[in-house]
């Protein structure tokens, strides 16, 4: 028996489905019927969205909450701090040698 090919929905589509199903006056089943997905799928997306899992819904309002992105941010902050310290040292050294030449 052939497996049914699953539809890959964009994060934006999933987010919109969850938001629409969360509004008063409309049920999840109604939204699911309008969008051609199962109500259970919307419930799954809502749960994933709430958890901000590693595989889906990693961004909220343009902020990436994935583990990989967080590690990269921490690494860049450490590197930035080190570079600022080196820059301060070089400024002081340049000022010292500038005064020494006078």
């Amino acid at each position: 028996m052939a497996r049914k090919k699953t539809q890959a929905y964009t994060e934006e589509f999933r987010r919109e489905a969850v938001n629409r199903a969360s509004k008063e006056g409309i049920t999840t089943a109604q939204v699911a019927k309008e969008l051609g997905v199962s109500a259970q799928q919307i419930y799954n997306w809502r749960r994933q969205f709430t958890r901000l899992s590693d595989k889906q819904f990693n961004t909220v309002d343009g902020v990436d909450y994935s583990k990989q992105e967080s590690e990269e941010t921490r690494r860049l902050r450490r590197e930035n701090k080190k570079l600022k310290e080196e820059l301060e040292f070089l400024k002081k050294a340049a000022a010292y040698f500038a005064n020494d030449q006078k």
Side-chain angles (χ1 to χ4, degrees):
M1 179 156 77
R3 278 184 51 167
K4 183 179 175 185
K5 190 173 185 178
T6 58
Q7 172 71 33
Y9 298 101
T10 65
E11 184 175 333
E12 183 179 339
F13 178 87
R14 296 172 192 184
R15 184 188 314 277
E16 184 61 28
V18 169
N19 287 338
R20 288 179 63 189
S22 299
K23 292 182 180 177
E24 284 188 44
I26 189 164
T27 66
T28 301
Q30 290 171 324
V31 173
K33 187 175 181 181
E34 288 174 16
L35 298 176
V37 298
S38 71
Q40 185 59 48
Q41 186 64 66
I42 294 176
Y43 290 123
N44 290 343
W45 291 338
R46 180 181 293 144
R47 187 178 65 250
Q48 291 167 349
F49 180 71
T50 302
R51 290 182 188 170
L52 293 173
S53 73
D54 286 340
K55 295 185 179 172
Q56 295 177 352
F57 298 113
N58 289 325
T59 60
V60 175
D61 296 329
V63 178
D64 189 344
Y65 289 100
S66 67
K67 184 176 180 179
Q68 180 182 7
E69 192 69 23
S70 296
E71 289 171 356
E72 177 71 4
T73 300
R74 284 191 296 276
R75 185 190 67 75
L76 290 171
R77 285 185 179 154
R78 285 190 304 269
E79 182 180 348
N80 191 29
K81 181 181 178 186
K82 179 182 173 190
L83 292 172
K84 283 181 179 180
E85 290 170 355
E86 289 176 5
L87 179 62
E88 278 301 311
F89 173 78
L90 292 173
K91 283 180 183 179
K92 290 177 184 177
Y96 174 79
F97 289 115
N99 285 336
D100 196 36
Q101 290 181 355
K102 289 182 183 179

Coordinates of all heavy atoms in Angstrom, one line a residue, residues 24-59:
E24 N -12.2 34.1 19.4 CA -13.6 33.8 19.9 C -14.5 33.8 18.7 O -14.4 34.5 17.7 CB -14.0 34.9 20.8 CG -13.4 34.8 22.2 CD -14.0 35.7 23.2 OE1 -15.3 35.8 23.2 OE2 -13.3 36.4 24.0
G25 N -15.6 32.9 18.8 CA -16.6 32.9 17.8 C -16.3 31.9 16.7 O -17.1 31.8 15.8
I26 N -15.2 31.3 16.7 CA -14.8 30.3 15.6 C -14.2 29.1 16.2 O -13.3 29.3 17.1 CB -13.9 31.0 14.5 CG1 -13.8 30.0 13.3 CG2 -12.6 31.4 15.0 CD1 -13.3 30.7 12.1
T27 N -14.5 28.0 15.8 CA -14.0 26.8 16.4 C -12.8 26.3 15.6 O -12.6 26.6 14.4 CB -15.0 25.6 16.4 OG1 -15.3 25.2 15.1 CG2 -16.3 26.1 17.2
T28 N -12.0 25.5 16.2 CA -10.8 24.9 15.5 C -11.3 24.0 14.3 O -10.7 24.0 13.3 CB -10.0 24.0 16.5 OG1 -9.6 24.9 17.6 CG2 -8.8 23.4 15.8
A29 N -12.4 23.3 14.5 CA -12.9 22.5 13.4 C -13.3 23.3 12.2 O -13.1 22.9 11.1 CB -14.1 21.7 13.9
Q30 N -13.9 24.5 12.5 CA -14.3 25.4 11.4 C -13.0 25.9 10.6 O -13.0 25.9 9.4 CB -15.1 26.6 11.9 CG -16.5 26.3 12.4 CD -17.1 27.4 13.1 OE1 -16.4 28.2 13.8 NE2 -18.4 27.6 12.9
V31 N -12.0 26.3 11.3 CA -10.8 26.8 10.7 C -10.2 25.6 9.9 O -9.7 25.8 8.8 CB -9.8 27.3 11.8 CG1 -8.5 27.6 11.1 CG2 -10.4 28.6 12.4
A32 N -10.1 24.4 10.5 CA -9.5 23.3 9.8 C -10.3 23.0 8.5 O -9.6 22.7 7.5 CB -9.6 22.1 10.8
K33 N -11.6 23.0 8.5 CA -12.4 22.8 7.3 C -12.1 23.8 6.3 O -11.9 23.5 5.1 CB -13.8 22.8 7.7 CG -14.7 22.3 6.5 CD -16.2 22.2 6.9 CE -17.0 21.7 5.7 NZ -18.4 21.6 6.1
E34 N -12.0 25.1 6.7 CA -11.7 26.2 5.7 C -10.3 26.0 5.1 O -10.1 26.3 3.9 CB -11.7 27.5 6.5 CG -13.1 28.0 6.9 CD -13.0 29.3 7.7 OE1 -11.9 30.0 7.7 OE2 -14.0 29.7 8.3
L35 N -9.3 25.6 5.9 CA -8.0 25.5 5.4 C -7.7 24.1 4.8 O -6.6 23.9 4.2 CB -7.0 25.8 6.5 CG -7.1 27.2 7.1 CD1 -6.1 27.3 8.3 CD2 -6.8 28.2 6.1
G36 N -8.6 23.2 4.9 CA -8.3 21.8 4.3 C -7.3 21.0 5.1 O -6.6 20.2 4.5
V37 N -7.3 21.2 6.4 CA -6.4 20.4 7.3 C -7.3 19.8 8.4 O -8.5 20.2 8.6 CB -5.3 21.2 7.9 CG1 -4.4 21.8 6.9 CG2 -5.8 22.3 8.8
S38 N -6.8 18.9 9.2 CA -7.6 18.3 10.2 C -7.5 19.2 11.5 O -6.5 19.9 11.7 CB -7.1 16.9 10.6 OG -5.8 17.0 11.2
A39 N -8.5 19.1 12.3 CA -8.5 19.9 13.5 C -7.4 19.4 14.4 O -6.7 20.2 15.1 CB -9.9 19.7 14.2
Q40 N -7.1 18.1 14.4 CA -6.0 17.6 15.2 C -4.7 18.2 14.8 O -3.8 18.5 15.7 CB -5.9 16.1 15.1 CG -4.9 15.5 16.0 CD -5.1 15.8 17.5 OE1 -6.2 15.6 18.0 NE2 -4.1 16.2 18.2
Q41 N -4.5 18.5 13.5 CA -3.3 19.1 13.1 C -3.1 20.5 13.7 O -2.0 20.9 14.1 CB -3.2 19.2 11.5 CG -1.9 19.7 11.0 CD -0.8 18.7 11.3 OE1 -0.7 17.6 10.9 NE2 0.2 19.1 12.1
I42 N -4.2 21.2 13.7 CA -4.1 22.6 14.3 C -3.8 22.5 15.8 O -3.0 23.3 16.3 CB -5.4 23.4 14.0 CG1 -5.6 23.6 12.5 CG2 -5.4 24.7 14.8 CD1 -6.8 24.3 12.1
Y43 N -4.4 21.5 16.5 CA -4.1 21.3 17.9 C -2.6 21.0 18.1 O -1.9 21.5 19.0 CB -4.9 20.2 18.5 CG -6.4 20.6 18.7 CD1 -7.4 19.8 18.1 CD2 -6.8 21.7 19.4 CE1 -8.7 20.1 18.3 CE2 -8.1 22.0 19.6 CZ -9.1 21.2 19.0 OH -10.4 21.6 19.1
N44 N -2.1 20.2 17.2 CA -0.6 19.8 17.2 C 0.2 21.1 17.0 O 1.2 21.3 17.7 CB -0.3 18.8 16.2 CG -0.9 17.4 16.5 OD1 -1.3 17.1 17.6 ND2 -0.9 16.5 15.5
W45 N -0.1 21.9 16.0 CA 0.6 23.1 15.8 C 0.6 24.0 16.9 O 1.6 24.6 17.3 CB 0.1 23.8 14.5 CG 0.4 23.1 13.2 CD1 1.3 22.1 13.0 CD2 -0.3 23.2 12.0 NE1 1.3 21.7 11.7 CE2 0.3 22.3 11.1 CE3 -1.4 24.0 11.6 CZ2 -0.2 22.2 9.8 CZ3 -1.9 23.9 10.3 CH2 -1.3 23.0 9.4
R46 N -0.6 24.1 17.6 CA -0.7 25.0 18.8 C 0.2 24.5 19.9 O 0.9 25.3 20.5 CB -2.2 25.0 19.2 CG -2.4 25.9 20.5 CD -3.8 25.9 21.0 NE -4.6 26.5 20.0 CZ -5.9 26.1 19.7 NH1 -6.4 25.1 20.4 NH2 -6.6 26.8 18.8
R47 N 0.2 23.2 20.1 CA 1.1 22.7 21.1 C 2.6 22.9 20.8 O 3.4 23.4 21.6 CB 0.9 21.2 21.3 CG 1.6 20.6 22.5 CD 1.3 19.1 22.6 NE 1.8 18.3 21.5 CZ 1.1 17.7 20.6 NH1 -0.3 17.8 20.7 NH2 1.6 17.0 19.6
Q48 N 3.0 22.7 19.5 CA 4.3 23.0 19.1 C 4.7 24.5 19.2 O 5.8 24.8 19.6 CB 4.5 22.5 17.6 CG 4.4 21.0 17.5 CD 4.3 20.6 16.1 OE1 4.0 21.4 15.2 NE2 4.5 19.3 15.8
F49 N 3.7 25.3 18.8 CA 4.0 26.8 18.9 C 4.2 27.2 20.4 O 5.1 28.0 20.7 CB 2.8 27.5 18.3 CG 2.9 29.0 18.3 CD1 3.8 29.6 17.5 CD2 2.1 29.7 19.2 CE1 3.9 31.0 17.5 CE2 2.2 31.1 19.2 CZ 3.1 31.7 18.4
T50 N 3.4 26.6 21.3 CA 3.5 27.0 22.7 C 4.9 26.5 23.2 O 5.5 27.2 24.0 CB 2.4 26.3 23.5 OG1 1.1 26.7 22.9 CG2 2.4 26.7 24.9
R51 N 5.3 25.4 22.8 CA 6.6 24.9 23.3 C 7.8 25.4 22.6 O 8.9 25.3 23.1 CB 6.6 23.3 23.1 CG 5.7 22.6 24.0 CD 5.9 21.1 23.7 NE 4.9 20.3 24.4 CZ 4.7 19.1 24.2 NH1 5.4 18.4 23.3 NH2 3.8 18.4 24.8
L52 N 7.6 26.1 21.5 CA 8.8 26.5 20.7 C 9.8 25.4 20.5 O 11.0 25.5 20.9 CB 9.5 27.8 21.3 CG 8.6 29.0 21.4 CD1 9.3 30.1 22.2 CD2 8.4 29.5 20.0
S53 N 9.3 24.3 20.0 CA 10.2 23.1 19.8 C 11.4 23.4 18.9 O 11.4 24.4 18.2 CB 9.4 22.0 19.2 OG 9.1 22.2 17.9
D54 N 12.3 22.5 18.9 CA 13.5 22.7 18.1 C 13.2 22.6 16.6 O 14.0 23.0 15.7 CB 14.6 21.7 18.4 CG 15.2 22.0 19.7 OD1 15.2 23.2 20.2 OD2 15.8 21.1 20.3
K55 N 12.1 21.9 16.2 CA 11.9 21.7 14.8 C 10.9 22.6 14.2 O 10.9 22.8 13.0 CB 11.4 20.2 14.6 CG 12.5 19.2 15.0 CD 12.1 17.9 14.8 CE 13.2 16.9 15.2 NZ 12.9 15.6 15.1
Q56 N 10.0 23.2 14.9 CA 9.0 24.1 14.3 C 8.7 25.3 15.2 O 8.9 25.2 16.4 CB 7.6 23.3 14.2 CG 7.8 22.2 13.2 CD 6.5 21.4 13.1 OE1 5.5 21.6 13.8 NE2 6.4 20.5 12.1
F57 N 8.3 26.3 14.6 CA 8.0 27.6 15.4 C 9.1 28.0 16.2 O 9.0 28.3 17.4 CB 6.7 27.4 16.3 CG 5.5 27.0 15.5 CD1 4.9 25.8 15.6 CD2 4.9 27.9 14.6 CE1 3.8 25.5 14.9 CE2 3.8 27.6 13.9 CZ 3.2 26.4 14.1
N58 N 10.3 28.1 15.6 CA 11.5 28.6 16.3 C 11.5 30.1 16.3 O 12.3 30.7 17.1 CB 12.8 28.1 15.6 CG 12.9 26.6 15.8 OD1 12.6 26.1 16.9 ND2 13.5 25.9 14.8
T59 N 10.7 30.8 15.6 CA 10.8 32.2 15.6 C 9.4 32.8 16.0 O 8.4 32.3 15.6 CB 11.1 32.8 14.2 OG1 10.1 32.4 13.3 CG2 12.5 32.4 13.7

